[in-house]
Amino acid sequence: MLIKKNQNNILLDRLNNHNYKVELSFHAVRCDLAKNLSNKLIHNKDSMQNRMLGLFIKRILSHKKTYAKHCLSRGIGQVVHFSSGNEPLNCLYSWFISFIMGNINIVRVSDRADSDDLRLITDISKILDEYNILDAFVHGIDKSFFSDAASKVARVRLIWGSDNTIASIKSYKTPINCTDYIFGDRLSGCILDLSNLQKRDLTSSNQLVSGLCNDLIANEGALCSSPSVIYLISNGLDTSIDMLHTLLDHVIALSDLKSPWNLALFNKKTIYNQQKMCSTEHPIQISNFNGYTLQYTSSFSETKNLFRTFEVVTASCLKEISFLPSNMQTLTYYGIRPVDMSPYIIQNVLRLVPVGMAHQFDYLWDGIDLFTSLSLKTYLK
């Protein structure tokens, strides 16, 4: 069901209809719907976002046998999803986990969703209607009206957004047994040690090239899981920066990006006051990188204002990485072992995976097991 602008009464009827029942987790009908939806999305060659969602659904379904061995569970009740403005489709991922766990779902889609986003949501709504699944997607309804009405009947709320958005939604009254799961602003990073890599090894088929392309570019560089900072471990700065540029040029060639990497150098002591510009195609003298933070930007589209930007911070060894943003979600790594990382690094990230797996998450989000959080176990085997 898709509820649109000026359909407030339909929304209220949907929210207050007590005939909707939860179902068993991994119910056969829901699994069949999910398989059909996944196949349709994966074979959509025109949309990277659709393919990623399809692969995500496939990964979640792969847990069915293991999950069923240990317990019998059902949905927890009515789950309300609030999507973020900068990532309008992230709500589809939480929706699917909640859906396959057997819940009744209502999803508010961001007003910033574009025509492609709405086309995907409309297609999903049609498939749900075909299977008589009454989950609802809401778009165009006043945010305050929706937040107030949906919060009153929510058993669980999954809230995406900035601190201000989250605080606003949490101000609405909920039932006493309602649980909130918050997914606020997050950053991700990457640690690279290129010292054992040779330029001749860097081709489009190289695992590092394809992995970094996936992490930086896939899903149009999803803000929360794509690296926004790369920690470059190097004893020889000149060689490592040169190697990094070669690596990034191969990433451009393999990706959907429409322009070379433009490079800005910011003096660490006078941030943004002293800035030098160049590109990976025509880099300035390597010695000028000393004492600067490197910021790379490329464009996804020649017509849309859509860019991928990240920074590079250099360190001579892992021990020099003594500061990570407090909201670090995912840290990918290449050329090093997690066991060699300091306790500080391990304790300040929520997820540690090899380069290439930044977007390959499933039911563990920010340390939260959504299988467990969005279901009730009725029988343990």
Side-chain angles (χ1 to χ4, degrees):
M1 178 187 297
L2 180 59
I3 302 174
K4 302 179 181 179
K5 188 176 182 179
N6 299 324
Q7 294 183 332
N8 291 15
N9 289 334
I10 296 177
L11 172 62
L12 292 176
D13 289 343
R14 165 62 184 78
L15 288 171
N16 296 295
N17 189 329
H18 300 293
N19 294 323
Y20 302 149
K21 303 296 183 183
V22 298
E23 293 183 325
L24 292 177
S25 302
F26 289 101
H27 188 279
V29 173
R30 295 194 176 210
C31 285
D32 183 66
L33 181 156
K35 289 177 183 177
N36 290 336
L37 176 58
S38 176
N39 289 335
K40 181 178 180 180
L41 294 172
I42 289 172
H43 290 95
N44 185 333
K45 298 181 180 180
D46 297 326
S47 171
M48 172 67 78
Q49 288 188 337
N50 285 22
R51 294 199 300 275
M52 288 192 65
L53 178 59
L55 291 170
F56 171 79
I57 292 172
K58 189 174 181 179
R59 283 198 300 276
I60 294 299
L61 289 176
S62 70
H63 294 286
K64 177 182 177 180
K65 290 183 178 180
T66 303
Y67 187 82
K69 283 182 180 179
H70 301 289
C71 67
L72 184 67
S73 68
R74 63 171 176 82
I76 199 170
Q78 185 148 244
V79 178
V80 182
H81 307 250
F82 296 84
S83 71
S84 64
N86 60 348
E87 297 286 347
L89 294 184
N90 56 14
C91 58
L92 294 181
Y93 293 82
S94 62
W95 160 76
F96 180 74
I97 295 181
S98 181
F99 163 81
I100 209 65
M101 286 291 101
N103 291 293
I104 307 156
N105 296 280
I106 185 158
V107 184
R108 186 184 187 278
V109 181
S110 170
D111 295 333
R112 299 184 192 177
D114 61 24
S115 58
D116 291 335
D117 299 335
L118 294 176
R119 190 178 301 113
L120 172 58
I121 290 167
T122 300
D123 289 343
I124 293 175
S125 297
K126 290 178 180 177
I127 294 175
L128 291 171
D129 291 342
E130 291 173 6
Y131 281 80
N132 294 316
I133 303 292
L134 298 176
D135 286 5
F137 294 91
V138 179
H139 180 258
I141 299 284
D142 178 75
K143 184 186 300 184
S144 298
F145 180 85
F146 174 86
S147 299
D148 179 50
S151 295
K152 288 177 180 176
V153 298
R155 180 62 178 81
V156 174
R157 296 189 302 179
L158 289 101
I159 307 171
W160 306 74
S162 65
D163 291 345
N164 289 337
T165 297
I166 292 168
S168 174
I169 293 172
K170 285 178 68 67
S171 69
Y172 291 95
K173 187 177 180 180
T174 61
I176 193 170
N177 64 342
C178 178
T179 302
D180 287 341
Y181 294 103
I182 307 300
F183 301 100
D185 289 338
R186 293 286 183 186
L187 297 175
S188 290
C190 173
I191 299 180
L192 295 178
D193 186 344
L194 306 179
S195 57
N196 295 321
L197 201 61
Q198 301 295 323
K199 272 192 176 182
R200 61 176 178 271
D201 298 327
L202 292 176
T203 65
S204 59
S205 60
N206 180 272
Q207 185 178 357
L208 175 58
V209 173
S210 59
L212 200 59
C213 181
N214 177 76
D215 292 352
L216 289 173
I217 314 303
N219 204 20
E220 293 184 342
L223 298 180
C224 60
S225 51
S226 287
S228 58
V229 57
I230 291 179
Y231 299 94
L232 185 62
I233 307 299
S234 169
N235 287 324
L237 181 62
D238 296 10
T239 303
S240 293
I241 293 295
D242 188 41
M243 182 70 74
L244 178 66
H245 282 179
T246 302
L247 173 61
L248 292 176
D249 288 340
H250 282 293
V251 168
I252 287 282
L254 191 62
S255 72
D256 294 327
L257 290 171
K258 305 301 181 184
S259 66
W261 296 103
N262 291 315
L263 175 59
L265 287 78
F266 296 105
N267 188 291
K268 294 179 181 179
K269 295 182 179 179
T270 55
I271 299 296
Y272 302 116
N273 290 336
Q274 295 185 30
Q275 177 181 349
K276 298 181 180 181
M277 298 292 296
C278 66
S279 74
T280 54
E281 288 189 332
H282 305 288
I284 60 177
Q285 290 183 356
I286 302 299
S287 59
N288 289 336
F289 286 101
N290 287 309
Y292 283 81
T293 296
L294 289 61
Q295 186 181 82
Y296 295 82
T297 302
S298 187
S299 173
F300 283 106
S301 170
E302 295 174 349
T303 57
K304 294 182 179 180
N305 186 28
L306 191 60
F307 299 93
R308 181 70 185 100
T309 297
F310 64 92
E311 293 184 351
V312 170
V313 176
T314 59
S316 62
C317 63
L318 278 173
K319 292 182 180 180
E320 283 193 6
I321 301 177
S322 58
F323 174 78
L324 294 174
S326 60
N327 58 344
M328 179 72 74
Q329 183 211 62
T330 297
L331 187 65
T332 59
Y333 59 88
Y334 177 87
I336 58 174
R337 302 181 304 167
V339 294
D340 295 329
M341 296 182 187
S342 67
Y344 171 82
I345 294 176
I346 301 298
Q347 293 168 5
N348 283 275
V349 298
L350 296 172
R351 183 167 166 261
L352 192 62
V353 294
V355 165
M357 296 183 65
H359 302 295
Q360 293 186 30
F361 54 93
D362 46 24
Y363 63 91
L364 292 174
W365 291 16
D366 291 6
I368 300 170
D369 183 334
L370 289 186
F371 278 0
T372 300
S373 302
L374 297 178
S375 66
L376 292 174
K377 291 180 175 62
T378 57
Y379 173 66
L380 296 178
K381 297 182 180 179

